[in-house]
Amino acid sequence: MARRAVEQELSRERIMDAARHLFITKGYRGISMRSIGQHLGYSHGSLYYHFKEKAELFYAIVVQDFNHLARMCEQVTKRPPMDGLTRLEQLMLDFIKFGLENPYQYEIMFMLRDEEILSYCKVEQAKCFDMFEKIVRGFLAEERHPLEQNSSLPLSMFLGIHGFISFYIQDRLTFEDIRPAAIAHVKMLSQSSYRMTS
């Protein structure tokens, strides 16, 4: 009876939300299952109903966040872009929006540098970039872009938007705070690729 009550009260989602914040603010090594439990007001034993160890909890967070980003990117392929934007520019703008609206998630996904946890992120990062590259190449083909076959273009665009997010995320600015700058940035990245061909 007590176990069932704990499982209902302390969901996987609640544990992951708390742990995500703690991993960012205190670092992976500075957090234990005990400290996550204390943060939530439960014994650390309660967490083991959902996760066998801290590494499993961390990886569940990483996978959840990359799946969220993947769904967002897929949605861009299924709807028309905002006025004045190409589909490629909309993809880059939505990626920036994801990073700034989900700073804790984005930092765990792309900005943590702890050797102990990099392996958890690298596989998911590679899958994310493969998906981004595939969508970019599809949009370039639709536009009959002269650099459609350029192998470095998707990576250059990815690095351009990652740099933008990394710069603004440290000040905890919202996407709405910097929307005009974000639109100007994705347009610059898009137009620069056209200028490379002339």
Side-chain angles (χ1 to χ4, degrees):
M1 183 73 161
R3 176 177 291 191
R4 188 173 303 147
V6 167
E7 287 173 348
Q8 288 170 355
E9 292 174 22
L10 192 59
S11 66
R12 281 177 63 91
E13 199 67 34
R14 195 164 157 218
I15 294 168
M16 290 165 70
D17 286 345
R20 180 185 289 111
H21 176 72
L22 291 171
F23 285 139
I24 287 295
T25 55
K26 300 186 184 296
Y28 181 80
R29 293 171 198 267
I31 293 302
S32 65
M33 294 294 268
R34 183 179 300 278
S35 62
I36 295 167
Q38 286 172 345
H39 180 80
L40 288 163
Y42 288 85
S43 73
H44 66 285
S46 305
L47 277 63
Y48 292 111
Y49 294 136
H50 301 282
F51 301 99
K52 287 183 285 192
E53 59 185 4
K54 180 174 76 167
E56 180 186 349
L57 169 56
F58 182 82
Y59 188 61
I61 291 169
V62 168
V63 169
Q64 181 187 59
D65 293 342
F66 274 104
N67 286 342
H68 180 188
L69 178 58
R71 284 192 301 275
M72 183 277 302
C73 289
E74 287 297 325
Q75 287 169 3
V76 175
T77 67
K78 295 175 181 164
R79 62 178 162 75
M82 290 174 11
D83 287 345
L85 294 176
T86 67
R87 283 157 56 85
L88 183 55
E89 291 165 348
Q90 185 69 58
L91 173 68
M92 292 189 285
L93 189 66
D94 282 10
F95 200 103
I96 289 172
K97 183 177 182 181
F98 172 88
L100 295 177
E101 288 186 347
N102 303 283
Y104 295 124
Q105 288 91 328
Y106 193 86
E107 288 178 9
I108 282 179
M109 294 161 72
F110 293 106
M111 299 173 74
L112 291 183
R113 289 293 165 260
D114 189 319
E115 289 298 320
E116 190 177 344
I117 57 175
L118 269 178
S119 61
Y120 293 112
C121 295
K122 286 291 184 189
V123 171
E124 298 303 318
Q125 286 173 358
K127 286 184 201 171
C128 178
F129 178 70
D130 287 347
M131 175 202 60
F132 180 84
E133 181 178 32
K134 180 180 175 188
I135 295 172
V136 167
R137 293 212 173 283
F139 288 163
L140 292 174
E142 277 178 22
E143 296 174 14
R144 298 181 193 220
H145 194 287
L147 290 178
E148 178 187 344
Q149 299 303 319
N150 184 311
S151 60
S152 65
L153 187 57
L155 178 59
S156 295
M157 290 180 165
F158 186 88
L159 294 175
I161 57 178
H162 174 65
F164 185 93
I165 296 166
S166 301
F167 180 78
Y168 283 105
I169 205 171
Q170 60 194 344
D171 295 325
R172 292 296 186 245
L173 295 170
T174 69
F175 177 73
E176 290 307 316
D177 291 335
I178 54 89
R179 178 190 285 270
I183 291 172
H185 185 68
V186 299
K187 286 196 161 296
M188 181 273 300
L189 289 173
S190 178
Q191 289 162 11
S192 293
S193 69
Y194 274 99
R195 284 197 290 274
M196 287 167 63
T197 63
S198 40

